Amino acid sequence: MGLFDEIEPTYDALQAIKKLPPDDPIIVLSMIRFRHDLADGRSDAAWREYQDGIGPVLEEYGVKPITQGVVALDLVGPKGQWDVVGAYRYPNPKVLWRFLSDERVLDLIKLRRKAVDDVTMMILTDQRNARGGN
């Protein structure tokens, strides 16, 4: 496929999005480790540019940030694995598919690669309504 590598979704992962319940909201959990080898600040600048660009696109697609934060303490698991964690609520998998197919997002992913050493992204189903919560 070319664009996606080990820090981006594989073709099979992208195809699996189409198999999720099409109208149910989903949460995308994103865990990122920055490239700490770029001491000259290029990683920080690329991340800031990525953040500035991706925010308006997320908003345009109706994606709601649940939380985003810098990891303050590794309580369980490998130390120093992740620098930033974010969770975002997408209206449904179809929106995520369109978002990931948007040329602006693909361009921003290329920019993000300059800042990021590792990424883990997971899709969660929103179980709050299933158990009577909000």
Side-chain angles (χ1 to χ4, degrees), residues 78-112:
K79 306 297 183 230
Q81 180 70 29
W82 307 114
D83 295 313
V84 173
V85 176
Y88 305 88
R89 188 175 193 276
Y90 285 72
N92 57 57
K94 295 178 285 189
V95 171
L96 175 60
W97 179 261
R98 287 194 312 268
F99 174 80
L100 290 172
S101 302
D102 188 309
E103 286 297 323
R104 297 170 297 172
V105 173
L106 295 175
D107 288 341
L108 287 163
I109 286 172
K110 292 175 191 175
L111 179 63
R112 183 178 74 183

mmCIF file of all heavy atoms in Angstrom, residues 78-112:
data_model
loop_
_atom_site.group_PDB
_atom_site.id
_atom_site.type_symbol
_atom_site.label_atom_id
_atom_site.label_comp_id
_atom_site.label_asym_id
_atom_site.label_seq_id
_atom_site.Cartn_x
_atom_site.Cartn_y
_atom_site.Cartn_z
ATOM 1 N N PRO A 78 5.399 -1.466 30.836
ATOM 2 C CA PRO A 78 6.742 -0.945 30.549
ATOM 3 C C PRO A 78 6.846 0.552 30.825
ATOM 4 O O PRO A 78 5.942 1.319 30.491
ATOM 5 C CB PRO A 78 6.936 -1.235 29.057
ATOM 6 C CG PRO A 78 5.906 -2.255 28.713
ATOM 7 C CD PRO A 78 4.779 -2.071 29.671
ATOM 8 N N LYS A 79 7.931 0.941 31.433
ATOM 9 C CA LYS A 79 8.159 2.358 31.733
ATOM 10 C C LYS A 79 8.597 3.096 30.475
ATOM 11 O O LYS A 79 9.405 2.591 29.703
ATOM 12 C CB LYS A 79 9.235 2.518 32.817
ATOM 13 C CG LYS A 79 8.957 1.737 34.083
ATOM 14 C CD LYS A 79 7.706 2.197 34.778
ATOM 15 C CE LYS A 79 7.483 1.462 36.076
ATOM 16 N NZ LYS A 79 6.175 0.918 36.240
ATOM 17 N N GLY A 80 8.042 4.265 30.270
ATOM 18 C CA GLY A 80 8.440 5.096 29.146
ATOM 19 C C GLY A 80 7.919 4.645 27.800
ATOM 20 O O GLY A 80 8.377 5.116 26.766
ATOM 21 N N GLN A 81 6.924 3.760 27.794
ATOM 22 C CA GLN A 81 6.396 3.249 26.520
ATOM 23 C C GLN A 81 5.651 4.333 25.752
ATOM 24 O O GLN A 81 5.775 4.425 24.538
ATOM 25 C CB GLN A 81 5.476 2.061 26.782
ATOM 26 C CG GLN A 81 4.860 1.451 25.534
ATOM 27 C CD GLN A 81 5.868 0.724 24.660
ATOM 28 O OE1 GLN A 81 6.849 0.206 25.152
ATOM 29 N NE2 GLN A 81 5.621 0.699 23.372
ATOM 30 N N TRP A 82 4.872 5.156 26.447
ATOM 31 C CA TRP A 82 4.028 6.149 25.776
ATOM 32 C C TRP A 82 4.265 7.527 26.362
ATOM 33 O O TRP A 82 4.478 7.673 27.559
ATOM 34 C CB TRP A 82 2.555 5.764 25.894
ATOM 35 C CG TRP A 82 2.315 4.372 25.421
ATOM 36 C CD1 TRP A 82 1.919 3.303 26.175
ATOM 37 C CD2 TRP A 82 2.500 3.870 24.099
ATOM 38 N NE1 TRP A 82 1.839 2.180 25.404
ATOM 39 C CE2 TRP A 82 2.194 2.505 24.113
ATOM 40 C CE3 TRP A 82 2.901 4.449 22.899
ATOM 41 C CZ2 TRP A 82 2.276 1.709 22.977
ATOM 42 C CZ3 TRP A 82 2.977 3.651 21.761
ATOM 43 C CH2 TRP A 82 2.673 2.299 21.806
ATOM 44 N N ASP A 83 4.183 8.538 25.499
ATOM 45 C CA ASP A 83 4.330 9.933 25.922
ATOM 46 C C ASP A 83 2.987 10.647 25.994
ATOM 47 O O ASP A 83 2.766 11.483 26.868
ATOM 48 C CB ASP A 83 5.242 10.697 24.950
ATOM 49 C CG ASP A 83 6.662 10.173 24.978
ATOM 50 O OD1 ASP A 83 7.203 9.990 26.083
ATOM 51 O OD2 ASP A 83 7.236 9.938 23.898
ATOM 52 N N VAL A 84 2.102 10.355 25.051
ATOM 53 C CA VAL A 84 0.800 11.015 24.966
ATOM 54 C C VAL A 84 -0.261 9.960 24.705
ATOM 55 O O VAL A 84 -0.049 9.038 23.910
ATOM 56 C CB VAL A 84 0.775 12.060 23.826
ATOM 57 C CG1 VAL A 84 -0.618 12.634 23.618
ATOM 58 C CG2 VAL A 84 1.760 13.181 24.095
ATOM 59 N N VAL A 85 -1.404 10.086 25.375
ATOM 60 C CA VAL A 85 -2.534 9.197 25.155
ATOM 61 C C VAL A 85 -3.761 10.064 24.921
ATOM 62 O O VAL A 85 -3.970 11.073 25.610
ATOM 63 C CB VAL A 85 -2.755 8.263 26.364
ATOM 64 C CG1 VAL A 85 -3.999 7.408 26.171
ATOM 65 C CG2 VAL A 85 -1.529 7.394 26.597
ATOM 66 N N GLY A 86 -4.555 9.681 23.934
ATOM 67 C CA GLY A 86 -5.795 10.395 23.662
ATOM 68 C C GLY A 86 -6.912 9.424 23.346
ATOM 69 O O GLY A 86 -6.671 8.319 22.862
ATOM 70 N N ALA A 87 -8.132 9.824 23.652
ATOM 71 C CA ALA A 87 -9.317 9.036 23.318
ATOM 72 C C ALA A 87 -10.311 9.961 22.628
ATOM 73 O O ALA A 87 -10.552 11.081 23.100
ATOM 74 C CB ALA A 87 -9.930 8.417 24.577
ATOM 75 N N TYR A 88 -10.858 9.486 21.510
ATOM 76 C CA TYR A 88 -11.728 10.304 20.672
ATOM 77 C C TYR A 88 -12.966 9.506 20.297
ATOM 78 O O TYR A 88 -12.872 8.359 19.877
ATOM 79 C CB TYR A 88 -10.982 10.741 19.403
ATOM 80 C CG TYR A 88 -9.696 11.444 19.737
ATOM 81 C CD1 TYR A 88 -8.519 10.725 19.925
ATOM 82 C CD2 TYR A 88 -9.669 12.814 19.920
ATOM 83 C CE1 TYR A 88 -7.343 11.371 20.271
ATOM 84 C CE2 TYR A 88 -8.502 13.452 20.266
ATOM 85 C CZ TYR A 88 -7.340 12.727 20.443
ATOM 86 O OH TYR A 88 -6.191 13.354 20.801
ATOM 87 N N ARG A 89 -14.126 10.124 20.444
ATOM 88 C CA ARG A 89 -15.397 9.462 20.131
ATOM 89 C C ARG A 89 -15.811 9.830 18.710
ATOM 90 O O ARG A 89 -16.019 11.009 18.398
ATOM 91 C CB ARG A 89 -16.473 9.889 21.114
ATOM 92 C CG ARG A 89 -17.767 9.116 20.991
ATOM 93 C CD ARG A 89 -18.726 9.538 22.103
ATOM 94 N NE ARG A 89 -19.839 8.647 22.232
ATOM 95 C CZ ARG A 89 -20.948 8.724 21.502
ATOM 96 N NH1 ARG A 89 -21.073 9.667 20.597
ATOM 97 N NH2 ARG A 89 -21.921 7.861 21.696
ATOM 98 N N TYR A 90 -15.912 8.812 17.875
ATOM 99 C CA TYR A 90 -16.377 8.970 16.501
ATOM 100 C C TYR A 90 -17.849 8.598 16.450
ATOM 101 O O TYR A 90 -18.266 7.644 17.118
ATOM 102 C CB TYR A 90 -15.598 8.057 15.549
ATOM 103 C CG TYR A 90 -14.200 8.531 15.250
ATOM 104 C CD1 TYR A 90 -13.193 8.450 16.210
ATOM 105 C CD2 TYR A 90 -13.877 9.063 14.015
ATOM 106 C CE1 TYR A 90 -11.905 8.877 15.933
ATOM 107 C CE2 TYR A 90 -12.585 9.500 13.723
ATOM 108 C CZ TYR A 90 -11.609 9.402 14.703
ATOM 109 O OH TYR A 90 -10.340 9.830 14.423
ATOM 110 N N PRO A 91 -18.644 9.295 15.658
ATOM 111 C CA PRO A 91 -20.079 8.978 15.588
ATOM 112 C C PRO A 91 -20.353 7.526 15.186
ATOM 113 O O PRO A 91 -21.305 6.919 15.667
ATOM 114 C CB PRO A 91 -20.625 9.940 14.537
ATOM 115 C CG PRO A 91 -19.659 11.093 14.547
ATOM 116 C CD PRO A 91 -18.315 10.483 14.865
ATOM 117 N N ASN A 92 -19.506 6.969 14.318
ATOM 118 C CA ASN A 92 -19.651 5.583 13.889
ATOM 119 C C ASN A 92 -18.421 5.202 13.051
ATOM 120 O O ASN A 92 -17.625 6.075 12.687
ATOM 121 C CB ASN A 92 -20.957 5.367 13.107
ATOM 122 C CG ASN A 92 -21.054 6.272 11.908
ATOM 123 O OD1 ASN A 92 -20.181 6.269 11.036
ATOM 124 N ND2 ASN A 92 -22.126 7.062 11.840
ATOM 125 N N PRO A 93 -18.252 3.907 12.761
ATOM 126 C CA PRO A 93 -17.084 3.479 11.988
ATOM 127 C C PRO A 93 -17.013 4.074 10.579
ATOM 128 O O PRO A 93 -15.924 4.254 10.035
ATOM 129 C CB PRO A 93 -17.234 1.953 11.922
ATOM 130 C CG PRO A 93 -18.087 1.602 13.079
ATOM 131 C CD PRO A 93 -19.015 2.764 13.257
ATOM 132 N N LYS A 94 -18.183 4.356 9.989
ATOM 133 C CA LYS A 94 -18.181 4.948 8.645
ATOM 134 C C LYS A 94 -17.489 6.304 8.658
ATOM 135 O O LYS A 94 -16.757 6.647 7.719
ATOM 136 C CB LYS A 94 -19.613 5.084 8.115
ATOM 137 C CG LYS A 94 -20.308 3.754 7.897
ATOM 138 C CD LYS A 94 -21.726 3.939 7.421
ATOM 139 C CE LYS A 94 -22.592 4.379 8.589
ATOM 140 N NZ LYS A 94 -24.024 4.400 8.301
ATOM 141 N N VAL A 95 -17.677 7.067 9.722
ATOM 142 C CA VAL A 95 -17.011 8.365 9.854
ATOM 143 C C VAL A 95 -15.504 8.159 9.983
ATOM 144 O O VAL A 95 -14.718 8.885 9.358
ATOM 145 C CB VAL A 95 -17.584 9.164 11.038
ATOM 146 C CG1 VAL A 95 -16.750 10.406 11.317
ATOM 147 C CG2 VAL A 95 -19.036 9.541 10.768
ATOM 148 N N LEU A 96 -15.089 7.180 10.773
ATOM 149 C CA LEU A 96 -13.662 6.898 10.906
ATOM 150 C C LEU A 96 -13.070 6.526 9.546
ATOM 151 O O LEU A 96 -11.988 6.994 9.188
ATOM 152 C CB LEU A 96 -13.416 5.777 11.921
ATOM 153 C CG LEU A 96 -11.964 5.316 12.065
ATOM 154 C CD1 LEU A 96 -11.055 6.457 12.502
ATOM 155 C CD2 LEU A 96 -11.878 4.137 13.029
ATOM 156 N N TRP A 97 -13.752 5.689 8.791
ATOM 157 C CA TRP A 97 -13.275 5.286 7.458
ATOM 158 C C TRP A 97 -13.112 6.506 6.557
ATOM 159 O O TRP A 97 -12.090 6.665 5.893
ATOM 160 C CB TRP A 97 -14.240 4.276 6.842
ATOM 161 C CG TRP A 97 -13.796 3.850 5.480
ATOM 162 C CD1 TRP A 97 -14.247 4.327 4.284
ATOM 163 C CD2 TRP A 97 -12.784 2.913 5.159
ATOM 164 N NE1 TRP A 97 -13.593 3.733 3.246
ATOM 165 C CE2 TRP A 97 -12.681 2.853 3.762
ATOM 166 C CE3 TRP A 97 -11.952 2.102 5.935
ATOM 167 C CZ2 TRP A 97 -11.782 2.024 3.106
ATOM 168 C CZ3 TRP A 97 -11.058 1.274 5.266
ATOM 169 C CH2 TRP A 97 -10.983 1.244 3.886
ATOM 170 N N ARG A 98 -14.117 7.381 6.530
ATOM 171 C CA ARG A 98 -14.028 8.594 5.696
ATOM 172 C C ARG A 98 -12.894 9.495 6.174
ATOM 173 O O ARG A 98 -12.150 10.062 5.376
ATOM 174 C CB ARG A 98 -15.356 9.344 5.686
ATOM 175 C CG ARG A 98 -16.420 8.642 4.860
ATOM 176 C CD ARG A 98 -17.627 9.507 4.551
ATOM 177 N NE ARG A 98 -18.184 10.203 5.690
ATOM 178 C CZ ARG A 98 -19.156 9.733 6.466
ATOM 179 N NH1 ARG A 98 -19.678 8.548 6.232
ATOM 180 N NH2 ARG A 98 -19.621 10.438 7.472
ATOM 181 N N PHE A 99 -12.749 9.623 7.490
ATOM 182 C CA PHE A 99 -11.686 10.432 8.068
ATOM 183 C C PHE A 99 -10.317 9.915 7.629
ATOM 184 O O PHE A 99 -9.461 10.671 7.166
ATOM 185 C CB PHE A 99 -11.811 10.419 9.598
ATOM 186 C CG PHE A 99 -10.698 11.092 10.323
ATOM 187 C CD1 PHE A 99 -10.671 12.469 10.448
ATOM 188 C CD2 PHE A 99 -9.675 10.353 10.897
ATOM 189 C CE1 PHE A 99 -9.640 13.104 11.129
ATOM 190 C CE2 PHE A 99 -8.650 10.966 11.581
ATOM 191 C CZ PHE A 99 -8.634 12.349 11.691
ATOM 192 N N LEU A 100 -10.103 8.605 7.753
ATOM 193 C CA LEU A 100 -8.811 8.027 7.395
ATOM 194 C C LEU A 100 -8.549 8.027 5.893
ATOM 195 O O LEU A 100 -7.416 7.843 5.468
ATOM 196 C CB LEU A 100 -8.712 6.593 7.941
ATOM 197 C CG LEU A 100 -8.601 6.479 9.454
ATOM 198 C CD1 LEU A 100 -8.699 5.024 9.889
ATOM 199 C CD2 LEU A 100 -7.327 7.126 9.975
ATOM 200 N N SER A 101 -9.585 8.250 5.102
ATOM 201 C CA SER A 101 -9.442 8.320 3.649
ATOM 202 C C SER A 101 -9.292 9.753 3.146
ATOM 203 O O SER A 101 -9.040 9.959 1.960
ATOM 204 C CB SER A 101 -10.661 7.678 2.980
ATOM 205 O OG SER A 101 -10.811 6.343 3.394
ATOM 206 N N ASP A 102 -9.462 10.718 4.014
ATOM 207 C CA ASP A 102 -9.390 12.133 3.645
ATOM 208 C C ASP A 102 -7.943 12.506 3.292
ATOM 209 O O ASP A 102 -7.022 12.226 4.064
ATOM 210 C CB ASP A 102 -9.887 12.973 4.828
ATOM 211 C CG ASP A 102 -10.052 14.441 4.521
ATOM 212 O OD1 ASP A 102 -9.098 15.061 3.996
ATOM 213 O OD2 ASP A 102 -11.125 14.974 4.822
ATOM 214 N N GLU A 103 -7.750 13.124 2.158
ATOM 215 C CA GLU A 103 -6.397 13.495 1.704
ATOM 216 C C GLU A 103 -5.687 14.396 2.710
ATOM 217 O O GLU A 103 -4.478 14.302 2.885
ATOM 218 C CB GLU A 103 -6.450 14.179 0.338
ATOM 219 C CG GLU A 103 -6.737 13.231 -0.799
ATOM 220 C CD GLU A 103 -5.656 12.183 -0.992
ATOM 221 O OE1 GLU A 103 -4.454 12.500 -0.821
ATOM 222 O OE2 GLU A 103 -6.010 11.028 -1.309
ATOM 223 N N ARG A 104 -6.432 15.264 3.376
ATOM 224 C CA ARG A 104 -5.810 16.129 4.389
ATOM 225 C C ARG A 104 -5.240 15.300 5.526
ATOM 226 O O ARG A 104 -4.139 15.572 6.028
ATOM 227 C CB ARG A 104 -6.819 17.145 4.928
ATOM 228 C CG ARG A 104 -7.332 18.119 3.879
ATOM 229 C CD ARG A 104 -8.492 18.918 4.413
ATOM 230 N NE ARG A 104 -9.603 18.019 4.728
ATOM 231 C CZ ARG A 104 -10.711 18.381 5.354
ATOM 232 N NH1 ARG A 104 -10.861 19.621 5.778
ATOM 233 N NH2 ARG A 104 -11.677 17.527 5.574
ATOM 234 N N VAL A 105 -5.981 14.274 5.941
ATOM 235 C CA VAL A 105 -5.520 13.407 7.023
ATOM 236 C C VAL A 105 -4.298 12.612 6.568
ATOM 237 O O VAL A 105 -3.324 12.477 7.319
ATOM 238 C CB VAL A 105 -6.658 12.481 7.499
ATOM 239 C CG1 VAL A 105 -6.157 11.454 8.502
ATOM 240 C CG2 VAL A 105 -7.788 13.312 8.095
ATOM 241 N N LEU A 106 -4.324 12.108 5.350
ATOM 242 C CA LEU A 106 -3.176 11.354 4.834
ATOM 243 C C LEU A 106 -1.931 12.231 4.800
ATOM 244 O O LEU A 106 -0.835 11.778 5.145
ATOM 245 C CB LEU A 106 -3.492 10.800 3.451
ATOM 246 C CG LEU A 106 -4.620 9.762 3.413
ATOM 247 C CD1 LEU A 106 -4.922 9.369 1.972
ATOM 248 C CD2 LEU A 106 -4.307 8.556 4.263
ATOM 249 N N ASP A 107 -2.095 13.498 4.422
ATOM 250 C CA ASP A 107 -0.952 14.422 4.445
ATOM 251 C C ASP A 107 -0.467 14.676 5.866
ATOM 252 O O ASP A 107 0.737 14.748 6.126
ATOM 253 C CB ASP A 107 -1.320 15.752 3.774
ATOM 254 C CG ASP A 107 -1.446 15.635 2.269
ATOM 255 O OD1 ASP A 107 -0.924 14.655 1.681
ATOM 256 O OD2 ASP A 107 -2.079 16.523 1.666
ATOM 257 N N LEU A 108 -1.407 14.797 6.805
ATOM 258 C CA LEU A 108 -1.034 15.024 8.202
ATOM 259 C C LEU A 108 -0.366 13.793 8.815
ATOM 260 O O LEU A 108 0.526 13.914 9.651
ATOM 261 C CB LEU A 108 -2.255 15.450 9.012
ATOM 262 C CG LEU A 108 -2.718 16.882 8.738
ATOM 263 C CD1 LEU A 108 -4.134 17.105 9.240
ATOM 264 C CD2 LEU A 108 -1.754 17.887 9.338
ATOM 265 N N ILE A 109 -0.773 12.602 8.391
ATOM 266 C CA ILE A 109 -0.120 11.381 8.866
ATOM 267 C C ILE A 109 1.345 11.379 8.462
ATOM 268 O O ILE A 109 2.227 11.006 9.245
ATOM 269 C CB ILE A 109 -0.857 10.125 8.353
ATOM 270 C CG1 ILE A 109 -2.168 9.954 9.114
ATOM 271 C CG2 ILE A 109 0.014 8.882 8.497
ATOM 272 C CD1 ILE A 109 -3.064 8.868 8.562
ATOM 273 N N LYS A 110 1.629 11.831 7.249
ATOM 274 C CA LYS A 110 3.023 11.927 6.802
ATOM 275 C C LYS A 110 3.808 12.875 7.703
ATOM 276 O O LYS A 110 4.957 12.608 8.056
ATOM 277 C CB LYS A 110 3.078 12.410 5.353
ATOM 278 C CG LYS A 110 2.543 11.413 4.364
ATOM 279 C CD LYS A 110 2.520 12.016 2.972
ATOM 280 C CE LYS A 110 1.758 11.151 2.004
ATOM 281 N NZ LYS A 110 1.623 11.789 0.690
ATOM 282 N N LEU A 111 3.187 13.979 8.091
ATOM 283 C CA LEU A 111 3.823 14.938 8.991
ATOM 284 C C LEU A 111 4.026 14.322 10.376
ATOM 285 O O LEU A 111 5.086 14.486 10.986
ATOM 286 C CB LEU A 111 2.966 16.200 9.084
ATOM 287 C CG LEU A 111 3.466 17.295 9.990
ATOM 288 C CD1 LEU A 111 4.801 17.836 9.500
ATOM 289 C CD2 LEU A 111 2.432 18.410 10.058
ATOM 290 N N ARG A 112 3.016 13.589 10.854
ATOM 291 C CA ARG A 112 3.101 12.969 12.178
ATOM 292 C C ARG A 112 4.282 12.014 12.261
ATOM 293 O O ARG A 112 4.911 11.885 13.313
ATOM 294 C CB ARG A 112 1.798 12.231 12.496
ATOM 295 C CG ARG A 112 1.792 11.619 13.886
ATOM 296 C CD ARG A 112 0.511 10.939 14.204
ATOM 297 N NE ARG A 112 0.432 9.683 13.471
ATOM 298 C CZ ARG A 112 -0.628 8.885 13.508
ATOM 299 N NH1 ARG A 112 -1.686 9.211 14.212
ATOM 300 N NH2 ARG A 112 -0.631 7.761 12.836
#
